[in-house]
Amino acid sequence: MYNYFALALASTIGIVFFDDNPSSVSIQEWILYAILIYAAVGFVRKFIEMAEREKL
């Protein structure tokens, strides 16, 4: 789960770093946004998997 947290943190910092023009979105920001979504989905999947394992 730390991998997903690290990915989310790094992509968030990258998005802030690459945001030089707030009125448009660069290709780097789109890529980092996709990585952020991937990390969020992976984190939620892992959290649900761990919760189901604990329930049994």
Side-chain angles (χ1 to χ4, degrees):
M1 287 182 66
Y2 293 123
N3 305 5
Y4 298 122
F5 180 74
L7 272 175
L9 184 63
S11 62
T12 302
I13 291 171
I15 288 171
V16 169
F17 177 73
F18 283 117
D19 190 21
D20 55 349
N21 186 2
S23 63
S24 67
V25 180
S26 68
I27 189 69
Q28 293 91 352
E29 289 174 305
W30 281 116
I31 292 169
L32 290 170
Y33 185 64
I35 293 170
L36 184 62
I37 291 173
Y38 169 78
V41 168
F43 182 83
V44 169
R45 245 189 236 155
K46 189 71 168 175
F47 183 78
I48 290 172
E49 177 186 314
M50 290 173 67
E52 287 176 349
R53 198 174 340 144
E54 288 293 320
K55 190 173 22 172
L56 299 175

